[in-house]
Amino acid sequence: MNNILNRKLLKIGIIVLLVLTITILHFATSIHRPSLHQIYQRSYYIPIVLAGFWFEILGGLATALGLAVLFIVHIWRDWAHHPDYAFQQYAEIPTYFVIALLVGYLSRLQRKSRENLEKAGAELATAYKKLNDTFDQLRHADRLASLGQLSAGIAHEIRNPLASIQGAVEILGQDVPAEDPKKEFASIAKKEVARLEKLTSEILQFSKPATPQKLRTDPHEIIEAACRLVTDQAHKQGTEILRRFNEQTNNIQVDPEQIKQVLINILINAIQAQSKGGSILVTERTENGEWIGAIQDAGPGISPEQLDRIFDPFFTTKREGTGLGLSISYQLVKNNEGRIWATSKPGQGACFFTSFPVSVSESK
Ligand SMILES: Nc1ncnc2c1ncn2[C@@H]1O[C@H](COP(=O)(O)OP(=O)(O)OP(=O)(O)O)[C@@H](O)[C@H]1O
Ligand SMILES: [Mg+2]
């Protein structure tokens, strides 16, 4: 801002300096040297052209007017006794105004076309970004669709034999006395079958998510319900979940059970990321008709390369993770017409955002 002002002042300074120099030369040069006066008279075109170029029509006309006044004083003072020559000089004055108008107008045209070009450039950049985003989404959707089909097929095939194995393991385990070393194998088999059962139902949920049953919902209630369910797990490692809500609530139109699950997935990740102690902060804000909830943890954060992949199915960095928590969440949020994204600075924790349009007529 200051820079622009300084440049403007410099330009005004140059014009004033030129006008004063030429005028002083006019006044100081003897009238017996008319050829020099002719040169000065034409030199006035320079500040007029500059003013028209830099300050468009108004600047050009103001300079022409100032010059005309000074020039008239000079003609009147020095050339009054030479009416023919004086007339010739007076006749020059309208030319100053014509030039001011012409250069000012051309300069305005040039500025307008530059502005139009800049606007078109900015619009093009936005369109390009949108196109890239859409392309990314398409790629993600495509990957999800094919992975979903494949995993759903496998999960479906595994599910029935798994149920039989689960039943068989239960029955076999019952007959083994508690002191028998085989009891330990029975309990391992039971635990592993339960893990497989969780995995298959997660895969099925991922590939065939239920249609959302949307209700007008207070997001605070969803957050509270999700926090209640993970509080025990958080307390076990000394982590506190803090909520900072706005006084005024905006309702959203979502399936509360599905969004609760999304928040649970994010909260569990946040708890897992924070190995001991610390706190997780849940905040909210409303912006451009959107309710935005944020969950910030104080864990190690996520590197930029991993940040690109966390919503991909089966992407996990955990030994026991399936890598489906966030991809299921992504789908659930999308099916509820919302958005989910994360930001992170490695070493400074991660922040997960979910946003949904505010239910307009229903805000209280
Ligand atoms: N709050 C977080 N801080 C750091 N990394 C995170 C966080 N949340 C997610 N991640 C990264 O994203 C990966 C994917 O998360 P996602 O919830 O989909 O799967 P997961 O937690 O590994 O397994 P699960 O399917 O059991 O949830 C995680 O393995 C982890 O690397
Ligand atoms: Mg997870």
Side-chain angles (χ1 to χ4, degrees), residues 51-162:
F53 185 64
W54 285 333
F55 302 106
E56 301 181 6
I57 297 178
L58 263 183
L61 284 181
T63 311
L65 186 71
L67 281 177
V69 171
L70 292 171
F71 196 32
I72 287 170
V73 172
H74 164 66
I75 304 170
W76 174 77
R77 198 194 76 151
D78 295 334
W79 299 98
H81 58 288
H82 275 294
D84 275 355
Y85 188 78
F87 177 76
Q88 219 183 9
Q89 287 181 309
Y90 281 129
E92 185 92 7
I93 291 172
T95 325
Y96 293 161
F97 288 94
V98 172
I99 289 177
L101 264 174
L102 213 69
V103 176
Y105 176 69
L106 287 176
S107 167
R108 206 178 74 173
L109 274 188
Q110 192 215 27
R111 175 176 57 87
K112 287 248 152 95
S113 61
R114 194 182 53 229
E115 280 171 2
N116 280 344
L117 264 174
E118 277 168 6
K119 211 171 117 199
E123 277 167 8
L124 213 69
T126 318
Y128 180 70
K129 192 177 171 301
K130 266 193 190 154
L131 203 73
N132 256 340
D133 287 352
T134 316
F135 185 61
D136 276 353
Q137 278 170 10
L138 272 177
R139 229 173 27 193
H140 189 78
D142 194 36
R143 227 167 23 204
L144 289 187
S146 37
L147 257 169
Q149 273 171 8
L150 179 74
S151 18
I154 299 172
H156 197 259
E157 289 308 305
I158 292 178
R159 215 178 189 195
N160 292 339
L162 200 63

Side-chain angles (χ1 to χ4, degrees), residues 293-331:
I295 299 178
Q296 168 79 53
D297 65 55
I302 309 171
S303 70
E305 304 79 55
Q306 289 183 355
L307 205 56
D308 277 347
R309 303 180 53 201
I310 53 172
F311 294 106
D312 286 354
F314 303 112
F315 173 77
T316 182
T317 53
K318 298 173 192 168
R319 214 162 54 88
E320 299 256 301
T322 55
L324 281 173
L326 286 181
S327 44
I328 290 174
S329 305
Y330 184 91
Q331 261 190 354

Side-chain angles (χ1 to χ4, degrees), residues 265 268-269 272 318 325-326:
N265 287 348
I268 289 178
N269 281 345
Q272 288 170 344
K318 298 173 192 168
L326 286 181

Side-chain angles (χ1 to χ4, degrees), residues 96-364:
Y96 293 161
F97 288 94
V98 172
I99 289 177
L101 264 174
L102 213 69
V103 176
Y105 176 69
L106 287 176
S107 167
R108 206 178 74 173
L109 274 188
Q110 192 215 27
R111 175 176 57 87
K112 287 248 152 95
S113 61
R114 194 182 53 229
E115 280 171 2
N116 280 344
L117 264 174
E118 277 168 6
K119 211 171 117 199
E123 277 167 8
L124 213 69
T126 318
Y128 180 70
K129 192 177 171 301
K130 266 193 190 154
L131 203 73
N132 256 340
D133 287 352
T134 316
F135 185 61
D136 276 353
Q137 278 170 10
L138 272 177
R139 229 173 27 193
H140 189 78
D142 194 36
R143 227 167 23 204
L144 289 187
S146 37
L147 257 169
Q149 273 171 8
L150 179 74
S151 18
I154 299 172
H156 197 259
E157 289 308 305
I158 292 178
R159 215 178 189 195
N160 292 339
L162 200 63
S164 319
I165 296 173
Q166 198 167 21
V169 166
E170 292 271 350
I171 294 165
L172 288 174
Q174 278 167 10
D175 294 342
V176 183
E179 59 284 356
D180 193 322
K182 284 185 192 149
K183 187 79 183 174
E184 198 194 333
F185 294 120
S187 87
I188 291 175
K190 219 167 114 183
K191 214 175 101 199
E192 292 303 315
V193 168
R195 218 157 74 90
L196 275 175
E197 155 58 18
K198 179 175 168 268
L199 177 66
T200 46
S201 35
E202 270 183 357
I203 290 176
L204 284 173
Q205 189 194 2
F206 165 70
S207 48
K208 289 199 190 92
T211 316
Q213 306 297 317
K214 289 191 188 171
L215 296 173
R216 194 184 79 224
T217 316
D218 177 352
H220 294 176
E221 284 170 16
I222 311 183
I223 296 173
E224 287 301 344
C227 287
R228 260 197 306 276
L229 289 168
V230 298
T231 300
D232 262 3
Q233 192 178 339
H235 281 172
K236 268 188 200 143
Q237 60 172 53
T239 298
E240 204 64 48
I241 304 176
L242 306 172
R243 273 86 91 193
R244 229 170 266 158
F245 294 151
N246 296 340
E247 264 175 40
Q248 204 209 335
T249 316
N250 286 299
N251 286 323
I252 50 178
Q253 193 77 18
V254 293
D255 181 326
E257 280 308 311
Q258 292 192 345
I259 302 313
K260 185 173 85 186
Q261 197 193 332
V262 170
L263 297 184
I264 291 173
N265 287 348
I266 298 175
L267 284 166
I268 289 178
N269 281 345
I271 296 167
Q272 288 170 344
Q274 227 157 277
S275 46
K276 254 197 174 21
S279 51
I280 292 165
L281 182 61
V282 186
T283 52
E284 64 166 353
R285 65 176 197 269
T286 303
E287 218 173 74
N288 302 329
E290 260 192 335
W291 174 85
I292 304 173
I295 299 178
Q296 168 79 53
D297 65 55
I302 309 171
S303 70
E305 304 79 55
Q306 289 183 355
L307 205 56
D308 277 347
R309 303 180 53 201
I310 53 172
F311 294 106
D312 286 354
F314 303 112
F315 173 77
T316 182
T317 53
K318 298 173 192 168
R319 214 162 54 88
E320 299 256 301
T322 55
L324 281 173
L326 286 181
S327 44
I328 290 174
S329 305
Y330 184 91
Q331 261 190 354
L332 291 178
V333 169
K334 210 176 87 193
N335 292 353
N336 279 273
E337 319 311 320
R339 294 188 298 132
I340 179 168
W341 71 99
T343 58
S344 176
K345 285 200 184 122
Q348 292 177 30
C351 193
F352 279 79
F353 300 89
T354 47
S355 85
F356 299 95
V358 167
S359 178
V360 184
S361 54
E362 314 294 355
S363 55
K364 59 178 187 185

